[in-house]
Every structure is written in C-alpha cells, then in structure tokens.
Amino acid sequence: MATPAQAVPPPLPVWVPSGRLARPHPCGESFDAVGVGYFEGICAIGRLGLASAAVIEDAEAGRITWLVTPGSADGWDLPDVVVLGQGRRIYIPPLDPPDTATLRWAIRPDADFLTCPRALYRALVHVTGGRPDARILSTYTSPECAMAEHEVCSKGEVRSTPPDTGVVEEPCVCTCHSTGAGR
C-alpha cells in the first residue's frame, strides 16, 4: 500500500544555527536587522500581520528585531529604532532553544525570511509615533505634489474616509505646501 507523499518543509537559511545555542552572524550580507523596543515591536507585529517574516525576540534586552534586505533600512530615523547594517553583528537564535533562553524566534524563519522594508517602516512609524519620511515610503509620486516625493499628496490636508473601510489617509509630509502642514 502506497503512503501519501509527506510535505517537505522549505529549506532554512544556512545561517540559522543548528543545535541549541545562538550564534553571531554579520549583518549586511544575507540581511540587515531592524530592532525596536519590546512593546512597540509586538504592536508592529500585530500591524504587519502576515506581512511580517522572521522576527527575533530578545527578552533580556527587551527588543524585537526583523530581518530586511541589506541596505533597505539605511537612513531610517525613528524613535527607539536601531538599524544594524554592514559591519555589525546580530545573534541568531536556534530554531529550538532551551526553555531558559532569552533569545528566540517570535516568528520562525523559512525560505522567505525577509520582511518587506516599506511595510515594516510604515508599521514602525505608526507604533513609535515617528515622523514618516516620504522618500522612504514612496517610489510612486503624485502629480499634485510639487516636490514629486509623496505617494498620495492631499495638499497637507487629511481627507475624511468612511468608517470601517480600513483606509487611513494622513496629511502630506512634503515641504511643497504653504499650509504649514509639511516639514
């Protein structure tokens, strides 16, 4: 009697340590690391939902850390957010750490271990109360934005949206408006 084929889990990245101990890994090669305080990190995971890939929880330091494409978080300036890039190292927890380990995976890595940096930046702006940088958020520019740097320019005004639509429009942060709403 034939047995059904068992699903083979996707391969793990080679830098995930085998065994039960965390190991250092250089940033800037396979990934950069973006960390934030524990409370803000848990809130950001909630905002990201399924868009969040691998996440490291460091209970001792009180930090949550995402892995992103090398160089994609350069220039982020948000409260309590630390970006570790080229020349820095981060400790990577094993998949099955001891029960007493303070470094573990909040979301385990798989073949798609990198979180989208734009989605992460948006979530971190929201949870830290930081001021968004339109150059980081946008690759598309609105024709009504005089500086061509803002994705959905509303001339510095917040447009009302119907409740329970899931749509949130925020004031423009570009400097092209004389309303004083920009930076």
mmCIF file of all heavy atoms in Angstrom, residues 97-102 104:
data_model
loop_
_atom_site.group_PDB
_atom_site.id
_atom_site.type_symbol
_atom_site.label_atom_id
_atom_site.label_comp_id
_atom_site.label_asym_id
_atom_site.label_seq_id
_atom_site.Cartn_x
_atom_site.Cartn_y
_atom_site.Cartn_z
ATOM 1 N N PRO A 97 15.515 26.642 20.910
ATOM 2 C CA PRO A 97 16.418 26.998 22.006
ATOM 3 C C PRO A 97 15.974 26.325 23.311
ATOM 4 O O PRO A 97 14.839 25.873 23.424
ATOM 5 C CB PRO A 97 16.263 28.516 22.099
ATOM 6 C CG PRO A 97 14.880 28.766 21.618
ATOM 7 C CD PRO A 97 14.620 27.731 20.554
ATOM 8 N N PRO A 98 16.879 26.279 24.290
ATOM 9 C CA PRO A 98 16.480 25.747 25.604
ATOM 10 C C PRO A 98 15.338 26.592 26.193
ATOM 11 O O PRO A 98 15.170 27.766 25.844
ATOM 12 C CB PRO A 98 17.747 25.893 26.454
ATOM 13 C CG PRO A 98 18.856 26.180 25.505
ATOM 14 C CD PRO A 98 18.262 26.715 24.254
ATOM 15 N N ASP A 99 14.579 26.011 27.084
ATOM 16 C CA ASP A 99 13.456 26.726 27.707
ATOM 17 C C ASP A 99 13.907 27.993 28.430
ATOM 18 O O ASP A 99 13.137 28.932 28.561
ATOM 19 C CB ASP A 99 12.726 25.816 28.693
ATOM 20 C CG ASP A 99 11.993 24.677 27.992
ATOM 21 O OD1 ASP A 99 11.725 24.809 26.774
ATOM 22 O OD2 ASP A 99 11.691 23.670 28.650
ATOM 23 N N THR A 100 15.138 28.020 28.884
ATOM 24 C CA THR A 100 15.642 29.172 29.643
ATOM 25 C C THR A 100 16.234 30.265 28.755
ATOM 26 O O THR A 100 16.631 31.313 29.255
ATOM 27 C CB THR A 100 16.720 28.713 30.636
ATOM 28 O OG1 THR A 100 17.759 28.043 29.904
ATOM 29 C CG2 THR A 100 16.135 27.778 31.694
ATOM 30 N N ALA A 101 16.285 30.046 27.458
ATOM 31 C CA ALA A 101 16.901 31.021 26.546
ATOM 32 C C ALA A 101 16.078 32.306 26.508
ATOM 33 O O ALA A 101 14.855 32.277 26.485
ATOM 34 C CB ALA A 101 17.012 30.434 25.147
ATOM 35 N N THR A 102 16.773 33.436 26.496
ATOM 36 C CA THR A 102 16.087 34.730 26.397
ATOM 37 C C THR A 102 16.075 35.235 24.956
ATOM 38 O O THR A 102 15.412 36.213 24.656
ATOM 39 C CB THR A 102 16.760 35.785 27.306
ATOM 40 O OG1 THR A 102 18.120 35.929 26.920
ATOM 41 C CG2 THR A 102 16.652 35.369 28.767
ATOM 42 N N ARG A 104 15.052 34.123 21.210
ATOM 43 C CA ARG A 104 14.287 33.099 20.495
ATOM 44 C C ARG A 104 13.554 33.722 19.316
ATOM 45 O O ARG A 104 13.516 34.939 19.186
ATOM 46 C CB ARG A 104 13.310 32.388 21.423
ATOM 47 C CG ARG A 104 12.299 33.281 22.121
ATOM 48 C CD ARG A 104 11.399 32.523 23.110
ATOM 49 N NE ARG A 104 12.148 31.870 24.153
ATOM 50 C CZ ARG A 104 12.262 30.545 24.294
ATOM 51 N NH1 ARG A 104 11.671 29.733 23.471
ATOM 52 N NH2 ARG A 104 12.970 30.023 25.269
#
